[in-house]
Amino acid sequence: MTLMTWLTAKKTMKHTVIFLLVGMVCVLIAAPILRTYATSLSIYGRMGQTTTNNSATNIKEAFYQPFSLMDGQKATIRFSANFPNHSVTLKIVPQGEFEARFAANSSGGSVTGSRFVYCQPRYGSNPPTGCTGDVTSRNIANDDAYIIEFAGWTSTTNLIYVPGNYVVLVYGTNSTNASASTIVRFNIDIAIEMPGRLIARYVDIAGYALLVGFSTVFLFIVLVRSTNEGRS
Amino acid sequence: MASDPSSGRGFLDTLPQVDKAKAMRLLIFGLILTIIAVTILLASRTVSAGATNWQNLAQQENSLNFWSGLYGSTEYAQRNNEILLTVYWMRHQATIFSVVGRIGMNVGLLMMILGFIFLAMNNTIDEKTRHVFLIVGAALVLIVMFGVFFAGFNLTINYS
């Protein structure tokens, strides 16, 4: 089949239009959706999550949520509290250590935890201003909100990727009518990073390549057809 | 083959004849190829020239997202580095597409020159029109020669 017969074939025009549409879908629909919704995966999120006063002394009473990190993957945790007489503490513990402490039903304070970075962004500042690294726990007394970034370990405010299984541990106290069963409240959202933006970039490139390539083919088809019509 | 003035035949008449339709097709395809190549070249240069503006826009958007607490400093740094990678590509693609565009433009112009020369050689067309074809073809040869042999030669087109 020569180039001319390929260009004049009815199927070629049909395929060209289909590829142009696929290119448009990639650039206008698929890539923005991936960029918006596939960047992070929320594995646990709750406003007003509860635990009890007992959680500070008995780890079995505390809030814990396990998660896994692969190489080059990080977790973003939103941790906040807005309740009077509360003191809540968050730690991120490697699963091995957590299981040992859990079996012994140790106190939350005796758990060491891995290093993470916490941020309280300040409007107009240059990042990482507003962020603190090399910490193994974050405590909120009554009211505060933090964005915590965790990848296994840190060096100042830079994350060091250590893949593995971890557990988010939250324990605390509520001194209002304090008893062992008094409820302690806090807000938490745990999200794992997903490769959405990377995939979206490749989808974008594929979409643009299809649009540029097949619009050129489309132009040649129209040109060849108009030349043939003029001749006949 | 040298032209013979005594025979009454011009230099052009002594050259091989090419079908008028073929010459016209060569001319049109050359024109289309040149237009596509120059469009690619100009579009890629516009993208490259606009890279810094896009970088400022994307980085400001990234800062606003960080300040409003959408993500932390590592995510900010990651996105900032991705923005830089895109900006470097926006600048570097001009090198690739300028080469592609320039080759396409020169091939297209060569096709147009051949088209004009073949039309000028066609003795079924009247003499004056053939001379016009020859002059236009020669002008295109000059443009291509300047473009190929002198790096400083360029045509400035205001497209903004």
Side-chain angles (χ1 to χ4, degrees):
Chain A
M1 188 188 272
T2 62
L3 183 68
M4 279 299 179
T5 49
W6 182 73
L7 282 172
T8 47
K10 268 190 179 177
K11 268 188 179 176
T12 311
M13 182 62 149
K14 196 177 153 189
H15 291 163
T16 304
V17 172
I18 290 169
F19 279 121
L20 280 173
L21 287 174
V22 170
M24 279 181 200
V25 168
C26 284
V27 173
L28 299 173
I29 299 168
I33 286 176
L34 280 170
R35 209 169 278 127
T36 313
Y37 297 106
T39 307
S40 68
L41 176 71
S42 181
I43 56 165
Y44 188 88
R46 185 166 289 179
M47 298 288 279
Q49 171 67 43
T50 58
T51 179
T52 62
N53 259 346
N54 250 346
S55 65
T57 46
N58 304 325
I59 204 171
K60 285 183 180 173
E61 297 284 318
F63 165 83
Y64 53 90
Q65 173 64 45
F67 65 96
S68 299
L69 289 181
M70 288 191 290
D71 200 13
Q73 198 177 27
K74 69 174 188 300
T76 304
I77 301 158
R78 293 168 178 281
F79 177 50
S80 62
N82 317 88
F83 307 102
N85 307 319
H86 273 59
S87 171
V88 278
T89 303
L90 181 143
K91 286 181 181 178
I92 303 168
V93 194
Q95 190 152 10
E97 186 190 345
F98 177 80
E99 280 173 7
R101 300 285 183 179
F102 192 85
N105 203 10
S106 313
S107 68
S110 65
V111 178
T112 314
S114 295
R115 283 185 188 173
F116 57 81
V117 179
Y118 71 88
C119 293
Q120 268 193 318
R122 296 165 197 166
Y123 196 90
S125 66
N126 276 328
T129 313
C131 298
T132 309
D134 292 346
V135 291
T136 52
S137 71
R138 192 64 210 146
N139 174 266
I140 295 177
N142 303 328
D143 310 283
D144 231 330
Y146 297 105
I147 297 166
I148 291 163
E149 288 181 315
F150 176 77
W153 203 247
T154 64
S155 170
T156 65
T157 51
N158 303 318
L159 296 183
I160 296 170
Y161 291 100
V162 184
N165 298 324
Y166 297 93
V167 178
V168 176
L169 173 72
V170 184
Y171 59 88
T173 55
N174 178 0
S175 57
T176 316
N177 303 321
S179 73
S181 59
T182 304
I183 284 174
V184 178
R185 286 193 178 83
F186 58 93
N187 310 318
I188 194 158
D189 182 86
I190 304 163
I192 306 288
E193 186 183 32
M194 298 290 282
R197 282 204 314 285
L198 187 72
I199 299 168
R201 192 187 299 149
Y202 292 126
V203 171
D204 249 347
I205 291 169
Y208 282 120
L210 284 175
L211 283 176
V212 170
F214 282 93
S215 51
T216 313
V217 172
F218 186 79
L219 194 73
F220 272 98
I221 290 173
V222 172
L223 180 79
V224 169
R225 283 191 176 187
S226 59
T227 318
N228 287 351
E229 276 166 21
R231 202 180 293 157
S232 61
Chain B
M1 194 191 296
S3 62
D4 181 8
S6 61
S7 67
R9 294 170 74 211
F11 165 72
L12 291 174
D13 299 318
T14 61
L15 294 170
Q17 293 285 304
V18 171
D19 181 7
K20 189 179 160 187
K22 272 185 188 169
M24 282 304 283
R25 200 181 301 163
L26 203 60
L27 194 69
I28 291 167
F29 272 96
L31 185 67
I32 298 283
L33 186 61
T34 309
I35 289 170
I36 290 171
V38 173
T39 308
I40 289 171
L41 199 137
L42 291 181
S44 92
R45 282 186 187 174
T46 310
V47 168
S48 173
T52 310
N53 281 346
W54 180 82
Q55 181 184 358
N56 292 338
L57 175 79
Q59 283 181 336
Q60 187 64 15
E61 201 173 11
N62 196 21
S63 293
L64 282 169
N65 285 345
F66 172 75
W67 292 329
S68 37
L70 283 182
Y71 40 75
S73 67
T74 310
E75 186 75 23
Y76 172 88
Q78 252 178 1
R79 290 188 185 214
N80 220 20
N81 283 314
E82 282 170 16
I83 290 166
L84 282 179
L85 180 71
T86 310
V87 165
Y88 293 148
W89 266 113
M90 282 167 87
R91 290 193 186 129
H92 179 62
Q93 57 80 32
T95 314
I96 300 163
F97 286 107
S98 288
V99 172
V100 172
R102 194 163 263 267
I103 291 170
M105 186 183 79
N106 282 346
V107 171
L109 284 172
L110 201 67
M111 284 166 82
M112 283 171 71
I113 290 166
L114 287 174
F116 277 118
I117 289 173
F118 286 147
L119 284 173
M121 289 184 329
N122 196 310
N123 53 17
T124 60
I125 303 169
D126 70 278
E127 194 72 17
K128 279 185 181 171
T129 317
R130 289 171 69 191
H131 276 121
V132 172
F133 284 144
L134 189 66
I135 290 164
V136 177
L140 285 178
V141 168
L142 276 176
I143 290 175
V144 171
M145 279 172 68
F146 271 112
V148 170
F149 298 121
F150 301 97
F153 177 80
N154 60 60
L155 286 171
T156 306
I157 302 160
N158 288 321
Y159 49 86
S160 58

